Amino acid sequence: MDVACAASRLRVLLGHLRRPSAASVVAHLTSQAVSPASFHPQEFQYTQDNNVLSLEQRRFYEENGFLVIRNLVSDANIERFRNEFERICRKEVKPPGLQLMRDVTIAKSEHNPSEKVITKVQDFQEDEELFRYCTLPEILKYVQCFTGPNIMAMHTMLINKPPDTGKKTSRHPLHQDLHYFPFRPSNNIVCAWTAMEHIDRNNGCLVVLPGTHKGSLKPHDYPQWEGGVNIMFHGIQDYDENNARVHLVMEKGDTVFFHPLLIHGSGQNRTQGFRKAISCHFASANCQYIDVKGTSQENIEKEIVSLADRLYGIKGDVSMKDIWQFRGRLVKGQRVNL
């Protein structure tokens, strides 16, 4: 399938998906499991009752909004994802709907696509090899602890953070992922983010502000950075700079699961190598779409719809909801609403 076919498919899907919405919705690390009988449901708001997470892990996520599971994804799988990324960069495969992103400092360069130019592969739901990440049993085992049994893969990325050019454009401003999502409730959405190599502060590890998932969605926009900002790298405009920060040092295969309201970002890559990670945002298929018009998310909706128009030539009455319905894929259980 080429881009034209993808655009045609999107038009067909939009016709089928324009159905009445459901009721409106207002816009560490231990591994020992305990039995459901030892849980106290009244204590838990952000995790589901099952026998996967230990009581300590549940309480950690409830309090902090993230949880790291060490050595979750095998070296063999990570190498397969790395190889597929390189094939995409060499244009040996061209999955429909895939977005290839470049750093703002090289976006207008004449360089041919390569691993040293492509800084992110986004929306790889049509790439069979990369999408395997979203269906790995070891990933879904933990995802269901936050979403329940009906699971949709909503947003996919392989991030290839480049060495910083000196303009600090390799950093990602502090943000909340919910800013990009027109579906709720937020407590049934989770990101799985897997390190594809050793990641620390030198090559731009994730930084999280523990406990901020308990707050509300804050207004986002492009930060006023002198060196420029990458496309759709919106950041929070107002946050408590005194809030504690945790830098997540991770080894290859380590996976962090975090809440969409958790404030997080990443620093510059000060090394000469490229820092890779693969991720997917999952949501309960029972979640419901919301209308973001008139909310703080209206700015990102306009940008996403405009990008879809440029990529696929989709014009007319298209909303952010339509885009996400096109992106979403069922990976476990039943597709209820999303």
PDB file of all heavy atoms in Angstrom, residues 172-177 179-180 218-223 225 229-237 264-265 296-304:
ATOM      1  N   HIS A 172      13.597  17.249  24.749  1.00  0.00           N
ATOM      2  CA  HIS A 172      12.136  17.251  24.597  1.00  0.00           C
ATOM      3  C   HIS A 172      11.568  17.990  25.805  1.00  0.00           C
ATOM      4  O   HIS A 172      11.834  17.598  26.943  1.00  0.00           O
ATOM      5  CB  HIS A 172      11.596  15.821  24.547  1.00  0.00           C
ATOM      6  CG  HIS A 172      10.213  15.718  23.996  1.00  0.00           C
ATOM      7  ND1 HIS A 172       9.799  14.679  23.188  1.00  0.00           N
ATOM      8  CD2 HIS A 172       9.134  16.530  24.124  1.00  0.00           C
ATOM      9  CE1 HIS A 172       8.534  14.858  22.851  1.00  0.00           C
ATOM     10  NE2 HIS A 172       8.109  15.966  23.414  1.00  0.00           N
ATOM     11  N   PRO A 173      10.792  19.052  25.588  1.00  0.00           N
ATOM     12  CA  PRO A 173      10.292  19.837  26.723  1.00  0.00           C
ATOM     13  C   PRO A 173       9.383  19.011  27.632  1.00  0.00           C
ATOM     14  O   PRO A 173       8.780  18.019  27.203  1.00  0.00           O
ATOM     15  CB  PRO A 173       9.520  20.973  26.055  1.00  0.00           C
ATOM     16  CG  PRO A 173       9.159  20.455  24.698  1.00  0.00           C
ATOM     17  CD  PRO A 173      10.285  19.554  24.299  1.00  0.00           C
ATOM     18  N   LEU A 174       9.295  19.421  28.866  1.00  0.00           N
ATOM     19  CA  LEU A 174       8.399  18.757  29.802  1.00  0.00           C
ATOM     20  C   LEU A 174       6.960  18.878  29.303  1.00  0.00           C
ATOM     21  O   LEU A 174       6.506  19.960  28.920  1.00  0.00           O
ATOM     22  CB  LEU A 174       8.524  19.381  31.194  1.00  0.00           C
ATOM     23  CG  LEU A 174       9.852  19.130  31.919  1.00  0.00           C
ATOM     24  CD1 LEU A 174       9.906  19.923  33.218  1.00  0.00           C
ATOM     25  CD2 LEU A 174      10.057  17.651  32.197  1.00  0.00           C
ATOM     26  N   HIS A 175       6.257  17.747  29.318  1.00  0.00           N
ATOM     27  CA  HIS A 175       4.911  17.725  28.776  1.00  0.00           C
ATOM     28  C   HIS A 175       4.114  16.592  29.402  1.00  0.00           C
ATOM     29  O   HIS A 175       4.647  15.758  30.130  1.00  0.00           O
ATOM     30  CB  HIS A 175       4.944  17.546  27.253  1.00  0.00           C
ATOM     31  CG  HIS A 175       5.543  16.230  26.820  1.00  0.00           C
ATOM     32  ND1 HIS A 175       6.897  15.984  26.835  1.00  0.00           N
ATOM     33  CD2 HIS A 175       4.967  15.077  26.369  1.00  0.00           C
ATOM     34  CE1 HIS A 175       7.144  14.764  26.424  1.00  0.00           C
ATOM     35  NE2 HIS A 175       5.986  14.174  26.136  1.00  0.00           N
ATOM     36  N   GLN A 176       2.827  16.570  29.096  1.00  0.00           N
ATOM     37  CA  GLN A 176       1.922  15.482  29.476  1.00  0.00           C
ATOM     38  C   GLN A 176       1.362  14.877  28.199  1.00  0.00           C
ATOM     39  O   GLN A 176       0.833  15.590  27.343  1.00  0.00           O
ATOM     40  CB  GLN A 176       0.783  16.015  30.351  1.00  0.00           C
ATOM     41  CG  GLN A 176       1.209  16.597  31.689  1.00  0.00           C
ATOM     42  CD  GLN A 176       0.084  17.408  32.310  1.00  0.00           C
ATOM     43  OE1 GLN A 176      -0.377  18.403  31.729  1.00  0.00           O
ATOM     44  NE2 GLN A 176      -0.370  16.985  33.487  1.00  0.00           N
ATOM     45  N   ASP A 177       1.450  13.584  28.049  1.00  0.00           N
ATOM     46  CA  ASP A 177       1.018  12.938  26.812  1.00  0.00           C
ATOM     47  C   ASP A 177      -0.482  13.091  26.563  1.00  0.00           C
ATOM     48  O   ASP A 177      -0.929  13.054  25.403  1.00  0.00           O
ATOM     49  CB  ASP A 177       1.388  11.452  26.828  1.00  0.00           C
ATOM     50  CG  ASP A 177       2.886  11.233  26.716  1.00  0.00           C
ATOM     51  OD1 ASP A 177       3.595  12.140  26.235  1.00  0.00           O
ATOM     52  OD2 ASP A 177       3.354  10.145  27.111  1.00  0.00           O
ATOM     53  N   HIS A 179      -2.173  15.569  26.481  1.00  0.00           N
ATOM     54  CA  HIS A 179      -2.386  16.744  25.627  1.00  0.00           C
ATOM     55  C   HIS A 179      -2.690  16.327  24.189  1.00  0.00           C
ATOM     56  O   HIS A 179      -3.425  17.023  23.478  1.00  0.00           O
ATOM     57  CB  HIS A 179      -1.131  17.621  25.679  1.00  0.00           C
ATOM     58  CG  HIS A 179      -1.116  18.759  24.709  1.00  0.00           C
ATOM     59  ND1 HIS A 179      -2.021  19.803  24.753  1.00  0.00           N
ATOM     60  CD2 HIS A 179      -0.294  19.023  23.643  1.00  0.00           C
ATOM     61  CE1 HIS A 179      -1.756  20.657  23.778  1.00  0.00           C
ATOM     62  NE2 HIS A 179      -0.715  20.214  23.091  1.00  0.00           N
ATOM     63  N   TYR A 180      -2.147  15.196  23.750  1.00  0.00           N
ATOM     64  CA  TYR A 180      -2.286  14.751  22.363  1.00  0.00           C
ATOM     65  C   TYR A 180      -3.475  13.807  22.146  1.00  0.00           C
ATOM     66  O   TYR A 180      -3.753  13.441  21.009  1.00  0.00           O
ATOM     67  CB  TYR A 180      -1.006  14.034  21.923  1.00  0.00           C
ATOM     68  CG  TYR A 180       0.229  14.911  21.969  1.00  0.00           C
ATOM     69  CD1 TYR A 180       1.008  14.981  23.124  1.00  0.00           C
ATOM     70  CD2 TYR A 180       0.607  15.680  20.870  1.00  0.00           C
ATOM     71  CE1 TYR A 180       2.131  15.790  23.173  1.00  0.00           C
ATOM     72  CE2 TYR A 180       1.733  16.481  20.910  1.00  0.00           C
ATOM     73  CZ  TYR A 180       2.492  16.544  22.064  1.00  0.00           C
ATOM     74  OH  TYR A 180       3.599  17.354  22.115  1.00  0.00           O
ATOM     75  N   LYS A 218      -2.516  20.356  31.825  1.00  0.00           N
ATOM     76  CA  LYS A 218      -2.116  21.758  31.779  1.00  0.00           C
ATOM     77  C   LYS A 218      -2.017  22.244  30.331  1.00  0.00           C
ATOM     78  O   LYS A 218      -1.822  21.448  29.413  1.00  0.00           O
ATOM     79  CB  LYS A 218      -0.768  21.933  32.478  1.00  0.00           C
ATOM     80  CG  LYS A 218      -0.799  21.523  33.954  1.00  0.00           C
ATOM     81  CD  LYS A 218       0.552  21.729  34.622  1.00  0.00           C
ATOM     82  CE  LYS A 218       0.508  21.317  36.093  1.00  0.00           C
ATOM     83  NZ  LYS A 218      -0.424  22.154  36.872  1.00  0.00           N
ATOM     84  N   PRO A 219      -2.150  23.555  30.126  1.00  0.00           N
ATOM     85  CA  PRO A 219      -1.994  24.099  28.764  1.00  0.00           C
ATOM     86  C   PRO A 219      -0.585  23.844  28.241  1.00  0.00           C
ATOM     87  O   PRO A 219       0.392  23.944  28.981  1.00  0.00           O
ATOM     88  CB  PRO A 219      -2.251  25.603  28.954  1.00  0.00           C
ATOM     89  CG  PRO A 219      -3.042  25.702  30.227  1.00  0.00           C
ATOM     90  CD  PRO A 219      -2.544  24.594  31.098  1.00  0.00           C
ATOM     91  N   HIS A 220      -0.501  23.503  26.949  1.00  0.00           N
ATOM     92  CA  HIS A 220       0.774  23.234  26.284  1.00  0.00           C
ATOM     93  C   HIS A 220       0.912  24.134  25.049  1.00  0.00           C
ATOM     94  O   HIS A 220      -0.069  24.503  24.423  1.00  0.00           O
ATOM     95  CB  HIS A 220       0.865  21.782  25.802  1.00  0.00           C
ATOM     96  CG  HIS A 220       1.009  20.759  26.876  1.00  0.00           C
ATOM     97  ND1 HIS A 220       0.081  20.586  27.879  1.00  0.00           N
ATOM     98  CD2 HIS A 220       1.974  19.814  27.095  1.00  0.00           C
ATOM     99  CE1 HIS A 220       0.472  19.581  28.672  1.00  0.00           C
ATOM    100  NE2 HIS A 220       1.609  19.104  28.202  1.00  0.00           N
ATOM    101  N   ASP A 221       2.159  24.418  24.702  1.00  0.00           N
ATOM    102  CA  ASP A 221       2.456  25.111  23.449  1.00  0.00           C
ATOM    103  C   ASP A 221       3.949  24.983  23.185  1.00  0.00           C
ATOM    104  O   ASP A 221       4.684  24.411  24.002  1.00  0.00           O
ATOM    105  CB  ASP A 221       2.047  26.586  23.518  1.00  0.00           C
ATOM    106  CG  ASP A 221       1.656  27.133  22.153  1.00  0.00           C
ATOM    107  OD1 ASP A 221       2.136  26.579  21.128  1.00  0.00           O
ATOM    108  OD2 ASP A 221       0.894  28.112  22.098  1.00  0.00           O
ATOM    109  N   TYR A 222       4.396  25.501  22.054  1.00  0.00           N
ATOM    110  CA  TYR A 222       5.819  25.419  21.747  1.00  0.00           C
ATOM    111  C   TYR A 222       6.618  26.300  22.706  1.00  0.00           C
ATOM    112  O   TYR A 222       6.273  27.468  22.919  1.00  0.00           O
ATOM    113  CB  TYR A 222       6.086  25.871  20.310  1.00  0.00           C
ATOM    114  CG  TYR A 222       5.713  24.845  19.275  1.00  0.00           C
ATOM    115  CD1 TYR A 222       4.598  25.022  18.454  1.00  0.00           C
ATOM    116  CD2 TYR A 222       6.472  23.694  19.111  1.00  0.00           C
ATOM    117  CE1 TYR A 222       4.251  24.076  17.508  1.00  0.00           C
ATOM    118  CE2 TYR A 222       6.128  22.738  18.164  1.00  0.00           C
ATOM    119  CZ  TYR A 222       5.024  22.934  17.364  1.00  0.00           C
ATOM    120  OH  TYR A 222       4.687  21.988  16.429  1.00  0.00           O
ATOM    121  N   PRO A 223       7.701  25.757  23.290  1.00  0.00           N
ATOM    122  CA  PRO A 223       8.557  26.592  24.138  1.00  0.00           C
ATOM    123  C   PRO A 223       9.343  27.581  23.287  1.00  0.00           C
ATOM    124  O   PRO A 223       9.608  27.328  22.107  1.00  0.00           O
ATOM    125  CB  PRO A 223       9.488  25.569  24.809  1.00  0.00           C
ATOM    126  CG  PRO A 223       9.519  24.408  23.872  1.00  0.00           C
ATOM    127  CD  PRO A 223       8.166  24.360  23.219  1.00  0.00           C
ATOM    128  N   TRP A 225      12.450  28.450  22.542  1.00  0.00           N
ATOM    129  CA  TRP A 225      13.861  28.070  22.590  1.00  0.00           C
ATOM    130  C   TRP A 225      14.602  28.699  21.423  1.00  0.00           C
ATOM    131  O   TRP A 225      14.142  28.649  20.273  1.00  0.00           O
ATOM    132  CB  TRP A 225      14.009  26.547  22.520  1.00  0.00           C
ATOM    133  CG  TRP A 225      13.576  25.845  23.779  1.00  0.00           C
ATOM    134  CD1 TRP A 225      13.271  26.412  24.970  1.00  0.00           C
ATOM    135  CD2 TRP A 225      13.399  24.436  23.949  1.00  0.00           C
ATOM    136  NE1 TRP A 225      12.905  25.452  25.887  1.00  0.00           N
ATOM    137  CE2 TRP A 225      12.977  24.223  25.293  1.00  0.00           C
ATOM    138  CE3 TRP A 225      13.544  23.334  23.109  1.00  0.00           C
ATOM    139  CZ2 TRP A 225      12.723  22.953  25.799  1.00  0.00           C
ATOM    140  CZ3 TRP A 225      13.293  22.074  23.612  1.00  0.00           C
ATOM    141  CH2 TRP A 225      12.888  21.887  24.950  1.00  0.00           C
ATOM    142  N   VAL A 229      12.575  24.367  17.861  1.00  0.00           N
ATOM    143  CA  VAL A 229      11.851  23.275  18.513  1.00  0.00           C
ATOM    144  C   VAL A 229      11.331  22.332  17.438  1.00  0.00           C
ATOM    145  O   VAL A 229      10.872  22.770  16.381  1.00  0.00           O
ATOM    146  CB  VAL A 229      10.658  23.798  19.346  1.00  0.00           C
ATOM    147  CG1 VAL A 229      10.015  22.664  20.132  1.00  0.00           C
ATOM    148  CG2 VAL A 229      11.104  24.909  20.282  1.00  0.00           C
ATOM    149  N   ASN A 230      11.400  21.042  17.693  1.00  0.00           N
ATOM    150  CA  ASN A 230      10.909  20.067  16.731  1.00  0.00           C
ATOM    151  C   ASN A 230       9.392  20.090  16.648  1.00  0.00           C
ATOM    152  O   ASN A 230       8.702  20.441  17.607  1.00  0.00           O
ATOM    153  CB  ASN A 230      11.404  18.668  17.103  1.00  0.00           C
ATOM    154  CG  ASN A 230      12.866  18.470  16.763  1.00  0.00           C
ATOM    155  OD1 ASN A 230      13.271  18.604  15.602  1.00  0.00           O
ATOM    156  ND2 ASN A 230      13.678  18.162  17.758  1.00  0.00           N
ATOM    157  N   ILE A 231       8.882  19.674  15.494  1.00  0.00           N
ATOM    158  CA  ILE A 231       7.443  19.702  15.241  1.00  0.00           C
ATOM    159  C   ILE A 231       6.680  18.889  16.286  1.00  0.00           C
ATOM    160  O   ILE A 231       7.076  17.785  16.653  1.00  0.00           O
ATOM    161  CB  ILE A 231       7.132  19.176  13.816  1.00  0.00           C
ATOM    162  CG1 ILE A 231       5.640  19.289  13.514  1.00  0.00           C
ATOM    163  CG2 ILE A 231       7.608  17.740  13.644  1.00  0.00           C
ATOM    164  CD1 ILE A 231       5.287  18.976  12.072  1.00  0.00           C
ATOM    165  N   MET A 232       5.629  19.486  16.795  1.00  0.00           N
ATOM    166  CA  MET A 232       4.727  18.909  17.800  1.00  0.00           C
ATOM    167  C   MET A 232       5.393  18.658  19.153  1.00  0.00           C
ATOM    168  O   MET A 232       4.818  17.965  19.999  1.00  0.00           O
ATOM    169  CB  MET A 232       4.074  17.622  17.287  1.00  0.00           C
ATOM    170  CG  MET A 232       3.110  17.867  16.150  1.00  0.00           C
ATOM    171  SD  MET A 232       2.046  16.465  15.809  1.00  0.00           S
ATOM    172  CE  MET A 232       1.221  17.059  14.334  1.00  0.00           C
ATOM    173  N   PHE A 233       6.552  19.227  19.380  1.00  0.00           N
ATOM    174  CA  PHE A 233       7.195  19.138  20.695  1.00  0.00           C
ATOM    175  C   PHE A 233       6.621  20.239  21.592  1.00  0.00           C
ATOM    176  O   PHE A 233       7.311  21.185  21.956  1.00  0.00           O
ATOM    177  CB  PHE A 233       8.718  19.276  20.568  1.00  0.00           C
ATOM    178  CG  PHE A 233       9.432  17.978  20.294  1.00  0.00           C
ATOM    179  CD1 PHE A 233       8.819  16.955  19.593  1.00  0.00           C
ATOM    180  CD2 PHE A 233      10.730  17.768  20.734  1.00  0.00           C
ATOM    181  CE1 PHE A 233       9.472  15.759  19.329  1.00  0.00           C
ATOM    182  CE2 PHE A 233      11.403  16.574  20.476  1.00  0.00           C
ATOM    183  CZ  PHE A 233      10.767  15.571  19.771  1.00  0.00           C
ATOM    184  N   HIS A 234       5.350  20.105  21.919  1.00  0.00           N
ATOM    185  CA  HIS A 234       4.721  21.077  22.808  1.00  0.00           C
ATOM    186  C   HIS A 234       5.206  20.852  24.236  1.00  0.00           C
ATOM    187  O   HIS A 234       5.523  19.724  24.621  1.00  0.00           O
ATOM    188  CB  HIS A 234       3.195  20.931  22.768  1.00  0.00           C
ATOM    189  CG  HIS A 234       2.578  21.401  21.487  1.00  0.00           C
ATOM    190  ND1 HIS A 234       1.238  21.674  21.364  1.00  0.00           N
ATOM    191  CD2 HIS A 234       3.116  21.649  20.258  1.00  0.00           C
ATOM    192  CE1 HIS A 234       0.968  22.050  20.121  1.00  0.00           C
ATOM    193  NE2 HIS A 234       2.094  22.036  19.437  1.00  0.00           N
ATOM    194  N   GLY A 235       5.242  21.906  24.999  1.00  0.00           N
ATOM    195  CA  GLY A 235       5.657  21.803  26.388  1.00  0.00           C
ATOM    196  C   GLY A 235       4.676  22.506  27.303  1.00  0.00           C
ATOM    197  O   GLY A 235       3.897  23.361  26.866  1.00  0.00           O
ATOM    198  N   ILE A 236       4.708  22.140  28.570  1.00  0.00           N
ATOM    199  CA  ILE A 236       3.843  22.769  29.566  1.00  0.00           C
ATOM    200  C   ILE A 236       4.287  24.217  29.766  1.00  0.00           C
ATOM    201  O   ILE A 236       5.482  24.509  29.901  1.00  0.00           O
ATOM    202  CB  ILE A 236       3.900  21.997  30.895  1.00  0.00           C
ATOM    203  CG1 ILE A 236       3.217  20.636  30.728  1.00  0.00           C
ATOM    204  CG2 ILE A 236       3.241  22.770  32.018  1.00  0.00           C
ATOM    205  CD1 ILE A 236       3.324  19.758  31.952  1.00  0.00           C
ATOM    206  N   GLN A 237       3.316  25.107  29.778  1.00  0.00           N
ATOM    207  CA  GLN A 237       3.630  26.525  29.903  1.00  0.00           C
ATOM    208  C   GLN A 237       3.748  26.980  31.355  1.00  0.00           C
ATOM    209  O   GLN A 237       4.337  28.013  31.639  1.00  0.00           O
ATOM    210  CB  GLN A 237       2.545  27.347  29.199  1.00  0.00           C
ATOM    211  CG  GLN A 237       2.407  27.026  27.722  1.00  0.00           C
ATOM    212  CD  GLN A 237       3.680  27.290  26.942  1.00  0.00           C
ATOM    213  OE1 GLN A 237       4.082  28.426  26.772  1.00  0.00           O
ATOM    214  NE2 GLN A 237       4.328  26.227  26.476  1.00  0.00           N
ATOM    215  N   HIS A 264       6.769  14.776  32.060  1.00  0.00           N
ATOM    216  CA  HIS A 264       8.047  14.154  31.733  1.00  0.00           C
ATOM    217  C   HIS A 264       8.644  14.824  30.499  1.00  0.00           C
ATOM    218  O   HIS A 264       7.970  15.579  29.789  1.00  0.00           O
ATOM    219  CB  HIS A 264       7.870  12.650  31.480  1.00  0.00           C
ATOM    220  CG  HIS A 264       7.065  12.344  30.261  1.00  0.00           C
ATOM    221  ND1 HIS A 264       5.693  12.533  30.211  1.00  0.00           N
ATOM    222  CD2 HIS A 264       7.413  11.889  29.024  1.00  0.00           C
ATOM    223  CE1 HIS A 264       5.232  12.199  29.021  1.00  0.00           C
ATOM    224  NE2 HIS A 264       6.270  11.807  28.270  1.00  0.00           N
ATOM    225  N   GLY A 265       9.888  14.532  30.237  1.00  0.00           N
ATOM    226  CA  GLY A 265      10.571  15.042  29.055  1.00  0.00           C
ATOM    227  C   GLY A 265      11.892  14.302  28.936  1.00  0.00           C
ATOM    228  O   GLY A 265      12.086  13.239  29.533  1.00  0.00           O
ATOM    229  N   SER A 296      -7.906  23.335  26.098  1.00  0.00           N
ATOM    230  CA  SER A 296      -6.479  23.600  25.900  1.00  0.00           C
ATOM    231  C   SER A 296      -5.874  22.714  24.830  1.00  0.00           C
ATOM    232  O   SER A 296      -4.755  22.966  24.366  1.00  0.00           O
ATOM    233  CB  SER A 296      -5.716  23.416  27.220  1.00  0.00           C
ATOM    234  OG  SER A 296      -5.770  22.061  27.651  1.00  0.00           O
ATOM    235  N   GLN A 297      -6.600  21.671  24.404  1.00  0.00           N
ATOM    236  CA  GLN A 297      -6.083  20.758  23.386  1.00  0.00           C
ATOM    237  C   GLN A 297      -6.434  21.190  21.961  1.00  0.00           C
ATOM    238  O   GLN A 297      -6.022  20.545  20.990  1.00  0.00           O
ATOM    239  CB  GLN A 297      -6.635  19.340  23.616  1.00  0.00           C
ATOM    240  CG  GLN A 297      -6.129  18.671  24.881  1.00  0.00           C
ATOM    241  CD  GLN A 297      -6.745  17.291  25.061  1.00  0.00           C
ATOM    242  OE1 GLN A 297      -7.695  17.124  25.822  1.00  0.00           O
ATOM    243  NE2 GLN A 297      -6.217  16.303  24.358  1.00  0.00           N
ATOM    244  N   GLU A 298      -7.154  22.282  21.834  1.00  0.00           N
ATOM    245  CA  GLU A 298      -7.592  22.712  20.505  1.00  0.00           C
ATOM    246  C   GLU A 298      -6.403  23.042  19.607  1.00  0.00           C
ATOM    247  O   GLU A 298      -6.435  22.785  18.392  1.00  0.00           O
ATOM    248  CB  GLU A 298      -8.522  23.913  20.619  1.00  0.00           C
ATOM    249  CG  GLU A 298      -9.246  24.243  19.332  1.00  0.00           C
ATOM    250  CD  GLU A 298     -10.373  25.252  19.536  1.00  0.00           C
ATOM    251  OE1 GLU A 298     -10.434  25.870  20.612  1.00  0.00           O
ATOM    252  OE2 GLU A 298     -11.193  25.412  18.603  1.00  0.00           O
ATOM    253  N   ASN A 299      -5.324  23.563  20.183  1.00  0.00           N
ATOM    254  CA  ASN A 299      -4.170  23.915  19.354  1.00  0.00           C
ATOM    255  C   ASN A 299      -3.506  22.692  18.739  1.00  0.00           C
ATOM    256  O   ASN A 299      -3.112  22.698  17.568  1.00  0.00           O
ATOM    257  CB  ASN A 299      -3.156  24.748  20.155  1.00  0.00           C
ATOM    258  CG  ASN A 299      -2.594  24.023  21.367  1.00  0.00           C
ATOM    259  OD1 ASN A 299      -3.142  23.006  21.812  1.00  0.00           O
ATOM    260  ND2 ASN A 299      -1.510  24.550  21.928  1.00  0.00           N
ATOM    261  N   ILE A 300      -3.408  21.606  19.496  1.00  0.00           N
ATOM    262  CA  ILE A 300      -2.767  20.414  18.946  1.00  0.00           C
ATOM    263  C   ILE A 300      -3.697  19.725  17.949  1.00  0.00           C
ATOM    264  O   ILE A 300      -3.234  19.111  16.973  1.00  0.00           O
ATOM    265  CB  ILE A 300      -2.320  19.434  20.060  1.00  0.00           C
ATOM    266  CG1 ILE A 300      -1.408  18.340  19.477  1.00  0.00           C
ATOM    267  CG2 ILE A 300      -3.500  18.831  20.779  1.00  0.00           C
ATOM    268  CD1 ILE A 300      -0.121  18.840  18.884  1.00  0.00           C
ATOM    269  N   GLU A 301      -5.017  19.823  18.154  1.00  0.00           N
ATOM    270  CA  GLU A 301      -5.936  19.247  17.171  1.00  0.00           C
ATOM    271  C   GLU A 301      -5.752  19.906  15.805  1.00  0.00           C
ATOM    272  O   GLU A 301      -5.661  19.229  14.773  1.00  0.00           O
ATOM    273  CB  GLU A 301      -7.392  19.407  17.616  1.00  0.00           C
ATOM    274  CG  GLU A 301      -8.363  18.856  16.573  1.00  0.00           C
ATOM    275  CD  GLU A 301      -9.818  18.960  16.990  1.00  0.00           C
ATOM    276  OE1 GLU A 301     -10.238  20.062  17.380  1.00  0.00           O
ATOM    277  OE2 GLU A 301     -10.529  17.940  16.899  1.00  0.00           O
ATOM    278  N   LYS A 302      -5.653  21.221  15.788  1.00  0.00           N
ATOM    279  CA  LYS A 302      -5.479  21.936  14.527  1.00  0.00           C
ATOM    280  C   LYS A 302      -4.182  21.511  13.845  1.00  0.00           C
ATOM    281  O   LYS A 302      -4.136  21.342  12.622  1.00  0.00           O
ATOM    282  CB  LYS A 302      -5.476  23.446  14.782  1.00  0.00           C
ATOM    283  CG  LYS A 302      -6.823  24.001  15.208  1.00  0.00           C
ATOM    284  CD  LYS A 302      -6.742  25.496  15.486  1.00  0.00           C
ATOM    285  CE  LYS A 302      -8.097  26.051  15.915  1.00  0.00           C
ATOM    286  NZ  LYS A 302      -8.015  27.507  16.240  1.00  0.00           N
ATOM    287  N   GLU A 303      -3.130  21.308  14.631  1.00  0.00           N
ATOM    288  CA  GLU A 303      -1.842  20.931  14.063  1.00  0.00           C
ATOM    289  C   GLU A 303      -1.870  19.500  13.510  1.00  0.00           C
ATOM    290  O   GLU A 303      -1.341  19.225  12.431  1.00  0.00           O
ATOM    291  CB  GLU A 303      -0.748  21.076  15.129  1.00  0.00           C
ATOM    292  CG  GLU A 303       0.646  20.983  14.556  1.00  0.00           C
ATOM    293  CD  GLU A 303       1.706  21.436  15.559  1.00  0.00           C
ATOM    294  OE1 GLU A 303       1.352  22.027  16.595  1.00  0.00           O
ATOM    295  OE2 GLU A 303       2.889  21.173  15.286  1.00  0.00           O
ATOM    296  N   ILE A 304      -2.494  18.585  14.260  1.00  0.00           N
ATOM    297  CA  ILE A 304      -2.574  17.192  13.812  1.00  0.00           C
ATOM    298  C   ILE A 304      -3.423  17.072  12.551  1.00  0.00           C
ATOM    299  O   ILE A 304      -3.053  16.369  11.594  1.00  0.00           O
ATOM    300  CB  ILE A 304      -3.141  16.299  14.940  1.00  0.00           C
ATOM    301  CG1 ILE A 304      -2.110  16.153  16.063  1.00  0.00           C
ATOM    302  CG2 ILE A 304      -3.538  14.929  14.402  1.00  0.00           C
ATOM    303  CD1 ILE A 304      -2.619  15.390  17.270  1.00  0.00           C
TER     304      ILE A 304
END
